[in-house]
Amino acid sequence: MAVERTLVMIKPDAVSKKAIGEIINRFENEGLNILALKVRKLTTEEARLFYAVHKDKPFYDDLVKFMTSGKMVALALEGENAISRVRDIMGPTNSKEAPEGTLRAKFGTDIEKNAVHGSDSPESAKIEIPFFFSELELFA
């Protein structure tokens, strides 16, 4: 098993539900280590840049609007197979299809307002983590 790093974002819908502590607690209880944490409100430019991979998709503008609608929390996590474990804990993108016990089933409402984001691959994590955290901010 490989030790990996991944980015998690607690999205504005989950922040507004006051779910930050419970979400973080879930990741810690699953054995993942927090390397860094920030509470932020993304600017439109930042959200467009972060989600640039989706710029040609019909949901892009709505996603940017949603992600700039309120505060979010960025977390850098580390652990054995962290990327796949985080994705299992979160559940599928569409909260309506998320199995009971997943974060998206508990805190999400649909495919857009789905409470959390997690890196989908080691390559994505290598881009997403530095978007929010410098190497000096990551504490192993």
Side-chain angles (χ1 to χ4, degrees), residues 112-129:
E112 180 182 273
K113 293 178 176 73
N114 61 8
V116 287
H117 162 91
S119 303
D120 63 5
S121 67
E123 295 76 25
S124 293
K126 286 179 183 163
I127 295 167
E128 292 177 352
I129 293 170

Side-chain angles (χ1 to χ4, degrees), residues 28-98:
E28 287 187 311
N29 286 341
E30 295 283 345
L32 295 158
N33 298 312
I34 298 172
L35 301 178
L37 179 148
K38 284 184 182 178
V39 178
R40 306 231 359 238
K41 186 172 187 298
L42 294 176
T43 66
T44 299
E45 182 179 317
E46 288 170 328
R48 288 192 177 282
L49 185 58
F50 187 85
Y51 287 107
V53 67
H54 298 303
K55 69 182 173 191
D56 295 326
K57 296 183 180 158
F59 60 83
Y60 178 70
D61 288 333
D62 287 339
L63 177 60
V64 169
K65 185 176 178 181
F66 166 60
M67 288 303 297
T68 58
S69 68
K71 293 185 291 185
M72 53 76 68
V73 177
L75 296 160
L77 300 178
E78 183 177 71
E80 294 285 333
N81 297 317
I83 294 167
S84 64
R85 288 176 55 214
V86 163
R87 296 190 67 77
D88 288 344
I89 294 164
M90 291 189 313
T93 304
N94 188 343
S95 296
K96 293 178 180 178
E97 298 172 359

